[in-house]
Amino acid sequence: MRFLFILFAVLPILEIALLVNVGNIIGGWNTIGLVILTAFIGAYFVKREGISTLQTAQAKMQRNEVPGKELVEGLMLVVAGVLLVTPGFITDIIGFMFALPGSRHLLAAQASKHMKMRVVAPGMGAGFGSGAGFNQTNQHNPFGQNPFNASQSKNDNGEVFEGEFTDNTTNNPDKRLK
């Protein structure tokens, strides 16, 4: 809620105050021209970087690799495009940070790291394969075989693999593996 409040209430007030102050210093028409110029420059960067990111993602998919980093960067470019066409200097600064390659790569790496720590696939856990609406066969399970069900843990020869695992999250209060 705090983030939404800042985004929709505080940020527009700060943008208006900054636009008025810059307008008083360099003039109203110059301020409008500067806002329009940053929108055009930003749109150019977003288009150029978007095409580059799309080509990299397509190349990774052709090599049967998951373009995770490229998807995060693509999302950042969409946000950058919206921020850069929104009138204001604060949104332009944030938008350019998302659009320029150096800062975008750094921010995308941090976002990916953060998401890897937060995202858990649905249905993972003790009841994997059955608790999330999946039956015990692979046909309805998008994650493949259930590694905890011995009847499914067979290799191509029909041999059953047996093993043990230790749940290291039980002693950890935030339930994360470290």
Side-chain angles (χ1 to χ4, degrees), residues 60 65-74 112 115:
K60 276 192 169 184
E65 296 176 15
V66 178
K69 179 184 166 199
E70 287 74 18
L71 291 175
V72 173
E73 287 187 10
S112 295
M115 285 191 291

PDB file of all heavy atoms in Angstrom, residues 60 65-74 112 115:
ATOM      1  N   LYS A  60      18.539 -17.028 -27.874  1.00  0.00           N
ATOM      2  CA  LYS A  60      18.583 -17.984 -26.768  1.00  0.00           C
ATOM      3  C   LYS A  60      17.523 -19.067 -26.948  1.00  0.00           C
ATOM      4  O   LYS A  60      17.772 -20.241 -26.673  1.00  0.00           O
ATOM      5  CB  LYS A  60      18.378 -17.276 -25.427  1.00  0.00           C
ATOM      6  CG  LYS A  60      19.629 -16.694 -24.861  1.00  0.00           C
ATOM      7  CD  LYS A  60      19.410 -16.284 -23.418  1.00  0.00           C
ATOM      8  CE  LYS A  60      20.731 -15.959 -22.776  1.00  0.00           C
ATOM      9  NZ  LYS A  60      20.574 -15.646 -21.360  1.00  0.00           N
ATOM     10  N   GLU A  65      17.516 -22.369 -24.814  1.00  0.00           N
ATOM     11  CA  GLU A  65      17.820 -21.790 -23.514  1.00  0.00           C
ATOM     12  C   GLU A  65      16.663 -20.893 -23.103  1.00  0.00           C
ATOM     13  O   GLU A  65      15.965 -20.338 -23.948  1.00  0.00           O
ATOM     14  CB  GLU A  65      19.101 -20.958 -23.572  1.00  0.00           C
ATOM     15  CG  GLU A  65      20.341 -21.750 -23.899  1.00  0.00           C
ATOM     16  CD  GLU A  65      21.572 -20.860 -24.049  1.00  0.00           C
ATOM     17  OE1 GLU A  65      21.508 -19.684 -23.630  1.00  0.00           O
ATOM     18  OE2 GLU A  65      22.564 -21.331 -24.600  1.00  0.00           O
ATOM     19  N   VAL A  66      16.457 -20.771 -21.813  1.00  0.00           N
ATOM     20  CA  VAL A  66      15.395 -19.910 -21.301  1.00  0.00           C
ATOM     21  C   VAL A  66      15.912 -18.471 -21.257  1.00  0.00           C
ATOM     22  O   VAL A  66      16.933 -18.206 -20.634  1.00  0.00           O
ATOM     23  CB  VAL A  66      14.961 -20.354 -19.890  1.00  0.00           C
ATOM     24  CG1 VAL A  66      13.895 -19.423 -19.336  1.00  0.00           C
ATOM     25  CG2 VAL A  66      14.459 -21.778 -19.904  1.00  0.00           C
ATOM     26  N   PRO A  67      15.224 -17.545 -21.918  1.00  0.00           N
ATOM     27  CA  PRO A  67      15.681 -16.152 -21.924  1.00  0.00           C
ATOM     28  C   PRO A  67      15.171 -15.377 -20.711  1.00  0.00           C
ATOM     29  O   PRO A  67      14.511 -14.350 -20.844  1.00  0.00           O
ATOM     30  CB  PRO A  67      15.096 -15.616 -23.228  1.00  0.00           C
ATOM     31  CG  PRO A  67      13.842 -16.390 -23.396  1.00  0.00           C
ATOM     32  CD  PRO A  67      14.124 -17.765 -22.841  1.00  0.00           C
ATOM     33  N   GLY A  68      15.471 -15.859 -19.510  1.00  0.00           N
ATOM     34  CA  GLY A  68      14.968 -15.235 -18.288  1.00  0.00           C
ATOM     35  C   GLY A  68      15.440 -13.807 -18.111  1.00  0.00           C
ATOM     36  O   GLY A  68      14.650 -12.911 -17.819  1.00  0.00           O
ATOM     37  N   LYS A  69      16.734 -13.593 -18.287  1.00  0.00           N
ATOM     38  CA  LYS A  69      17.282 -12.242 -18.133  1.00  0.00           C
ATOM     39  C   LYS A  69      16.678 -11.297 -19.166  1.00  0.00           C
ATOM     40  O   LYS A  69      16.356 -10.149 -18.854  1.00  0.00           O
ATOM     41  CB  LYS A  69      18.801 -12.300 -18.282  1.00  0.00           C
ATOM     42  CG  LYS A  69      19.490 -10.973 -18.180  1.00  0.00           C
ATOM     43  CD  LYS A  69      20.978 -11.105 -18.424  1.00  0.00           C
ATOM     44  CE  LYS A  69      21.593  -9.751 -18.666  1.00  0.00           C
ATOM     45  NZ  LYS A  69      22.865  -9.823 -19.313  1.00  0.00           N
ATOM     46  N   GLU A  70      16.506 -11.782 -20.360  1.00  0.00           N
ATOM     47  CA  GLU A  70      15.944 -10.945 -21.426  1.00  0.00           C
ATOM     48  C   GLU A  70      14.482 -10.607 -21.149  1.00  0.00           C
ATOM     49  O   GLU A  70      14.026  -9.514 -21.490  1.00  0.00           O
ATOM     50  CB  GLU A  70      16.091 -11.640 -22.778  1.00  0.00           C
ATOM     51  CG  GLU A  70      17.504 -11.665 -23.310  1.00  0.00           C
ATOM     52  CD  GLU A  70      18.412 -12.656 -22.603  1.00  0.00           C
ATOM     53  OE1 GLU A  70      17.905 -13.576 -21.926  1.00  0.00           O
ATOM     54  OE2 GLU A  70      19.640 -12.504 -22.708  1.00  0.00           O
ATOM     55  N   LEU A  71      13.745 -11.534 -20.537  1.00  0.00           N
ATOM     56  CA  LEU A  71      12.356 -11.241 -20.192  1.00  0.00           C
ATOM     57  C   LEU A  71      12.282 -10.145 -19.133  1.00  0.00           C
ATOM     58  O   LEU A  71      11.442  -9.241 -19.226  1.00  0.00           O
ATOM     59  CB  LEU A  71      11.655 -12.504 -19.699  1.00  0.00           C
ATOM     60  CG  LEU A  71      11.406 -13.583 -20.745  1.00  0.00           C
ATOM     61  CD1 LEU A  71      10.828 -14.837 -20.110  1.00  0.00           C
ATOM     62  CD2 LEU A  71      10.483 -13.067 -21.836  1.00  0.00           C
ATOM     63  N   VAL A  72      13.155 -10.214 -18.152  1.00  0.00           N
ATOM     64  CA  VAL A  72      13.194  -9.174 -17.123  1.00  0.00           C
ATOM     65  C   VAL A  72      13.581  -7.838 -17.747  1.00  0.00           C
ATOM     66  O   VAL A  72      12.960  -6.806 -17.462  1.00  0.00           O
ATOM     67  CB  VAL A  72      14.170  -9.560 -15.988  1.00  0.00           C
ATOM     68  CG1 VAL A  72      14.355  -8.412 -15.010  1.00  0.00           C
ATOM     69  CG2 VAL A  72      13.691 -10.800 -15.263  1.00  0.00           C
ATOM     70  N   GLU A  73      14.581  -7.855 -18.624  1.00  0.00           N
ATOM     71  CA  GLU A  73      14.993  -6.610 -19.279  1.00  0.00           C
ATOM     72  C   GLU A  73      13.888  -6.077 -20.194  1.00  0.00           C
ATOM     73  O   GLU A  73      13.693  -4.864 -20.292  1.00  0.00           O
ATOM     74  CB  GLU A  73      16.283  -6.827 -20.056  1.00  0.00           C
ATOM     75  CG  GLU A  73      17.489  -6.977 -19.172  1.00  0.00           C
ATOM     76  CD  GLU A  73      18.791  -7.021 -19.942  1.00  0.00           C
ATOM     77  OE1 GLU A  73      18.783  -6.744 -21.161  1.00  0.00           O
ATOM     78  OE2 GLU A  73      19.816  -7.336 -19.316  1.00  0.00           O
ATOM     79  N   GLY A  74      13.173  -6.959 -20.853  1.00  0.00           N
ATOM     80  CA  GLY A  74      12.059  -6.516 -21.694  1.00  0.00           C
ATOM     81  C   GLY A  74      10.966  -5.847 -20.881  1.00  0.00           C
ATOM     82  O   GLY A  74      10.417  -4.815 -21.283  1.00  0.00           O
ATOM     83  N   SER A 112      16.294 -10.053 -10.887  1.00  0.00           N
ATOM     84  CA  SER A 112      16.284 -11.505 -11.057  1.00  0.00           C
ATOM     85  C   SER A 112      16.681 -12.206  -9.771  1.00  0.00           C
ATOM     86  O   SER A 112      16.071 -13.201  -9.377  1.00  0.00           O
ATOM     87  CB  SER A 112      17.238 -11.925 -12.173  1.00  0.00           C
ATOM     88  OG  SER A 112      16.803 -11.421 -13.404  1.00  0.00           O
ATOM     89  N   MET A 115      13.766 -11.953  -7.403  1.00  0.00           N
ATOM     90  CA  MET A 115      12.659 -12.831  -7.775  1.00  0.00           C
ATOM     91  C   MET A 115      12.984 -14.289  -7.505  1.00  0.00           C
ATOM     92  O   MET A 115      12.112 -15.060  -7.112  1.00  0.00           O
ATOM     93  CB  MET A 115      12.284 -12.630  -9.244  1.00  0.00           C
ATOM     94  CG  MET A 115      11.523 -11.352  -9.474  1.00  0.00           C
ATOM     95  SD  MET A 115      10.812 -11.224 -11.107  1.00  0.00           S
ATOM     96  CE  MET A 115      12.244 -11.042 -12.116  1.00  0.00           C
TER      97      MET A 115
END
